[in-house]
Amino acid sequence: MMTREFYPPAAFFIDDIVKNALQEDFGHGWDVTSQIVIPEKTHAKVQMTARERLPVAGLICALSVIKHIDPQLTYIIHKNDGDIAEKNTSIMDISGSARSIMAAERVILNFVGHLSGIALKTAKSVAAVKHTKAKIVCTRKTLPNLRALQKYAVRLGGGFTHRSGVDDCILIKDNHIAVCGGIEKAVQRARSSLGHTTKIEVECDHLGQVEEALKARADIIMLDNMSPADLRLAVETIDGRAISEASGGITEKTIKDIAETGVDMISIGALTHSAAYADVAFDFLELN
């Protein structure tokens, strides 16, 4: 079985996001508490610890924070992005100026806690459907300016991504259909202007629209807010002629039943917009 590569966003992209986060946290440029309270030459060693079992995500951001706060800080990585950290185990040790470590702490934990939380929520969804062919995918319901990192975290949790933006796939939804006067007209308009590499997806609310989307030769059919019974009928109707995607209000309680209908994809906005922070903390090991 081929191992998936967890390639992150480009370094310059991560650095831009991290610099914005640091500028937000530093305000006029100083961590006044650390500068005033901690003696200048105080040296510390801290351990970033997973307080729960989790897939690590966001370490690439932590390293960027360290680089921008204080290049003299040193670190030892125990778990890379995509690795599983068991409860109460070290993800990374950081050594150097106590002032610098304290200045970096919150931004590092914000990134690692948030992204590991997304990876953890995704991993639970993936585990719930592993006995089926369904793939778990995230959506565009992401925090502004963090989409690339959030989708990276989903991949680290074993999921996949839906379109990354409005420019990489045609997704014809109910309002598009209403304006165009029907699914077939909307698909025809799209296909007349598309290159051969761009797929067309149509959102369907009921089985009648599924028939229309198939007739129009849609590549992907989104089955929106359908019951498991209707999803089964829709999958039978599609019969491999298009990719089937279940979407809308999918929860941990319903995901197993939905996957067992035979759909190819299950898209879940909550992976990115509602994932709780993973429990990650800094623990001081040395202070001198």
Side-chain angles (χ1 to χ4, degrees):
M1 180 178 178
M2 183 178 292
T3 301
R4 293 178 65 193
E5 291 187 28
F6 297 126
Y7 51 92
F12 73 86
F13 192 89
I14 295 166
D15 284 345
D16 283 347
I17 294 173
V18 166
K19 283 190 286 186
N20 286 335
L22 289 171
Q23 287 169 356
E24 176 183 61
D25 204 38
F26 272 58
H28 295 295
W30 299 99
D31 173 4
V32 293
T33 308
S34 297
Q35 292 289 330
I36 293 171
V37 173
I38 300 175
E40 181 180 359
K41 296 189 181 300
T42 303
H43 180 279
K45 180 178 181 181
V46 299
Q47 181 180 81
M48 183 162 60
T49 304
R51 295 285 177 79
E52 61 180 321
R53 189 177 191 272
L54 53 83
V56 176
L59 200 66
I60 50 171
C61 300
L63 299 181
S64 179
V65 171
I66 290 170
K67 176 178 69 175
H68 286 95
I69 289 289
D70 184 353
Q72 299 303 311
L73 292 175
T74 61
Y75 53 85
I76 298 173
I77 297 171
H78 299 290
K79 297 291 182 182
N80 288 299
D81 279 351
D83 291 342
I84 298 297
E86 298 295 337
K87 183 177 180 179
N88 295 326
T89 61
S90 175
I91 297 172
M92 177 173 66
D93 298 340
I94 307 172
S95 299
S97 163
R99 285 183 176 182
S100 297
I101 290 172
M102 291 306 298
E105 176 188 26
R106 177 42 51 199
V107 177
I108 287 175
L109 292 179
N110 281 349
F111 277 117
V112 176
H114 176 58
L115 297 176
S116 295
I118 290 173
L120 180 58
K121 187 174 181 66
T122 303
K124 290 178 178 178
S125 296
V126 170
V129 305
K130 66 180 181 180
H131 60 295
T132 72
K133 69 175 184 178
K135 289 182 177 179
I136 301 299
V137 301
C138 57
T139 71
R140 286 169 47 242
K141 294 178 180 178
T142 54
L143 292 175
N145 302 314
L146 289 184
R147 180 172 296 167
L149 287 173
Q150 289 186 313
K151 285 180 174 282
Y152 169 61
V154 167
R155 290 191 285 113
L156 292 173
F160 294 81
T161 185
H162 202 279
R163 58 182 183 160
S164 293
V166 293
D167 62 332
D168 63 355
C169 174
I170 295 288
L171 177 48
I172 299 170
K173 306 192 80 171
D174 51 359
N175 288 333
H176 299 113
I177 294 167
V179 170
C180 288
I183 289 174
E184 189 167 4
K185 288 183 179 180
V187 173
Q188 285 175 348
R189 287 178 66 88
R191 201 172 295 284
S192 67
S193 299
L194 282 183
H196 67 286
T197 63
T198 305
K199 292 186 180 297
I200 298 173
E201 179 168 11
V202 176
E203 179 186 73
C204 297
D205 299 324
H206 54 79
L207 295 173
Q209 288 184 322
V210 172
E211 295 280 7
E212 292 180 59
L214 287 169
K215 182 179 178 182
R217 295 186 297 111
D219 301 299
I220 310 163
I221 298 178
M222 178 188 291
L223 307 168
D224 190 45
N225 283 297
M226 291 190 184
S227 67
D230 282 346
L231 285 172
R232 284 191 182 86
L233 289 174
V235 169
E236 290 175 7
T237 300
I238 294 169
D239 193 27
R241 289 178 285 171
I243 295 171
S244 58
E245 175 191 337
S247 182
I250 296 162
T251 68
E252 291 179 4
K253 292 182 179 180
T254 62
I255 191 170
K256 180 175 178 289
D257 289 340
I258 288 171
E260 289 175 351
T261 64
V263 292
D264 298 307
M265 306 287 173
I266 300 176
S267 57
I268 307 174
L271 296 179
T272 49
H273 71 60
S274 295
Y277 266 46
D279 193 355
V280 180
F282 270 25
D283 296 321
F284 274 82
L285 300 179
E286 297 175 10
L287 190 62
N288 52 62

